[in-house]
Each structure stands twice: as C-alpha cells, then as structure tokens.
Amino acid sequence: MKKVLIISFLSILFFSSCEFKNENSSTIIKDTTKVSQSEYLVSGALWYQTSAEAKAMYHQSFNLAKLMLDKNLKESKSDKPKAIITDIDETILNNSPSNVRLIKTGKLYSRESWTKWVNAGIAEALPGAVDFCNYAKDAGVTMIYLSNRRVQSLDITMKNMTNEGFPFVNKENYFLKSTTSDKTARRDSVLANYDVILYMGDNLCDFSEDFDHRKDNFGGNVVEENKEMFGSKFIVFPNPMYGVWERAAYNDTWKTPDSQKDSLRKAALKDNY
Ligand SMILES: [Mg+2]
C-alpha cells in the first residue's frame, strides 16, 4: 500500500512537472511575441554607451585625424584657407540617450522624438572630439560643422556645443539641413571658400553622396573603389545604432513598413558555413 502511494505521488509530481514545463514553454513563446519593435536597438546602444572599445575607437579616429591633418596641411598646394568638414551627431556629439529612450519606451525613431532630444541640448562630446577641434584651431584650420540637424536647431546646437567646450561655435561655421539630407550642395559651398583637408563622419554620406547607393552589396563595392580615401582624407567613426547602413537592409528604402523590418534585417544576415 505504501509502495502504491509513493508511485501515485511520484506520478502526480511528474505530470504536474510536465504541465508546468508546458505552461512555461507557452509563456516563453507568448513573451517572444511581445518583444517591442525597438528591442533590436539594445545591442548597438549597449556597445556604444558602455564598451571601452567604442571609446578607444573614437580616440583612434581622432588620433589618426591629427596625423592626417598635419600631413594634408603640409602637402596642400592651395592658397585658400584650410578647413575640416565634420558631421556632428555620433561624430563629435553623443546622442545615444535618445536611442536608449526609444528602447525604454518601445518606440521607433520619429522626427518628434529626435527633436525633443536635440532641444534638450544635453548631448555630450564624444571622447577626443573637443581636443581634436582645438588641435585644428591651433594649427590654423577652421572647423566646419556640416550636419543634418535642422536649421531650426541651430541655436540649441550652438549652446550645447559651447557648453561642451567646442571651438568655432559661430553661425558661419554651421551648415545644417534646410531642405535636403544630401550634403553635396552644402559641401560645395564650403569648398568654394576653403581648401578642405579632411572630412569626418559616422555615415559615409558625410564624405560623398556616392556612398548613398547601397543596393549593390549594401554599398560595399563603392567603399572598395574608394578604399585609399579612408584614413587619409575620410575619417570614419563607429555608429552601430542607426545610419544609411540600416536602410540598406530594408530594400534600401525608409518607406519599408515597420512590420517587415525585423525579417528583412535577419534576411540580410549570412550564416554560410
Ligand atoms: Mg552623424
């Protein structure tokens, strides 16, 4: 009798356990479907905000920029005053908190969310950025801040950069976006007055619109065709959070519906081993 009771007890325990596991499994599946649409931003934002490697890469890029500033300045044959065209966001200012806010609220990027962040005017300088801009100033080279922040954000951007200690915070040094994200016309107007010895940016379109075409090999072929420019005239900074590289995965258009983006991101990845 005692043996029968023990077996019955163990059977109940076993089946309850299975049932528990089943419930647990379905709970996991249920939770997976609830993952927010901004969850994919976590890894990039974590790397950008916390990794020592990210900080080291900024220093590496600015250290290289100093070397190339000296070299290009020495080799320039132009009589025009010298300038460096730099992007602002994720090149000299850190906007990663705006991405973290998207993650925490489960939302995707919107013009409203971005404007709200920019208007807070609290973006911090990236490692080595202020030091580099002052190095350029000491060498007699003008910093031109060419950014796709909107012209309406000029005053708050200048206030933010003044607070962070950047030099050249004058209206004439800023070329912000009024109508188009294409920076070509703004670059050309700088080139009319300056000999631009260096370009800096986290997006390849900060250097040339040629890099906007990402349909062929996600833009990798254009990089290969211009490989000698990187680290000499073009200084690239890391941004794993957003950029044209992401659009490339969405059939190269921002018009792709949000509902399709997760599968398109995964479809763009290879595991060919
Ligand atoms: Mg940028």
Side-chain angles (χ1 to χ4, degrees):
M1 182 65 184
K2 198 178 174 186
K3 205 174 176 181
V4 171
L5 276 174
I6 290 170
I7 289 168
S8 303
F9 176 72
L10 287 174
S11 300
I12 289 166
L13 200 68
F14 174 74
F15 287 113
S16 318
S17 170
C18 286
E19 202 176 311
F20 175 74
K21 275 181 185 169
N22 284 341
E23 273 180 7
N24 201 29
S25 301
S26 62
T27 303
I28 290 166
I29 291 163
K30 209 172 158 188
D31 280 349
T32 304
T33 61
K34 280 184 186 169
V35 167
S36 89
Q37 55 185 352
S38 57
E39 187 68 14
Y40 80 101
L41 295 168
V42 170
S43 182
L46 183 69
W47 184 87
Y48 196 82
Q49 282 202 341
T50 70
S51 77
E53 286 79 3
K55 293 169 180 67
M57 282 191 77
Y58 273 90
H59 283 301
Q60 177 176 266
S61 294
F62 283 120
N63 287 341
L64 177 59
K66 283 181 183 177
L67 289 174
M68 298 321 294
L69 181 158
D70 292 342
K71 184 175 185 286
N72 296 347
L73 197 56
K74 212 170 163 182
E75 293 176 358
S76 170
K77 291 182 176 70
S78 169
D79 293 332
K80 285 182 184 174
K82 307 295 177 273
I84 290 171
I85 293 182
T86 184
D87 171 51
I88 294 178
D89 298 315
E90 278 52 71
T91 299
I92 56 173
L93 282 185
N94 181 349
N95 302 286
S96 60
S98 68
N99 269 54
V100 172
R101 182 61 61 89
L102 295 177
I103 293 164
K104 292 192 173 179
T105 55
K107 291 179 179 163
L108 291 175
Y109 170 89
S110 66
R111 188 169 159 183
E112 290 69 32
S113 67
W114 174 249
T115 304
K116 193 177 173 188
W117 160 256
V118 169
N119 287 343
I122 54 170
E124 293 179 359
L126 283 156
V130 174
D131 176 57
F132 175 80
C133 294
N134 281 316
Y135 184 88
K137 186 183 176 189
D138 292 345
V141 178
T142 300
M143 292 301 301
I144 298 292
Y145 303 118
L146 203 158
S147 161
N148 278 344
R149 283 189 172 210
R150 292 182 176 266
V151 287
Q152 294 89 331
S153 303
L154 177 62
D155 289 345
I156 189 66
T157 299
M158 287 175 64
K159 190 178 172 198
N160 189 161
M161 287 178 62
T162 299
N163 292 342
E164 289 300 301
F166 283 96
F168 297 106
V169 181
N170 314 301
K171 284 190 177 175
E172 60 267 28
N173 292 66
Y174 285 80
F175 290 76
L176 303 189
K177 174 179 169 178
S178 53
T179 51
T180 174
S181 296
D182 184 341
K183 293 181 168 179
T184 308
R186 281 172 281 161
R187 264 193 301 268
D188 287 347
S189 64
V190 176
L191 285 162
N193 298 311
Y194 289 98
D195 175 26
V196 178
I197 59 167
L198 216 54
Y199 296 81
M200 309 197 303
D202 64 299
N203 189 324
L204 298 183
C205 297
D206 295 327
F207 311 129
S208 164
E209 202 62 11
D210 290 347
F211 297 110
D212 191 54
H213 308 292
R214 304 284 173 116
K215 277 200 162 59
D216 189 11
N217 189 23
F218 300 101
N221 296 354
V222 189
V223 168
E224 283 304 309
E225 288 161 17
N226 293 278
K227 60 185 177 187
E228 70 287 349
M229 298 297 282
F230 298 102
S232 56
K233 198 138 188 192
F234 301 159
I235 307 294
V236 191
F237 294 82
N239 183 357
M241 298 179 292
Y242 67 88
V244 173
W245 58 266
E246 186 183 343
R247 187 198 70 198
Y250 303 150
N251 295 325
D252 204 27
T253 172
W254 290 120
K255 288 178 183 164
T256 295
D258 291 340
S259 58
Q260 295 175 19
K261 288 178 178 173
D262 183 56
S263 41
L264 284 170
R265 281 192 294 270
K266 286 168 184 163
L269 299 172
K270 295 175 188 169
D271 59 350
N272 48 344
Y273 65 90

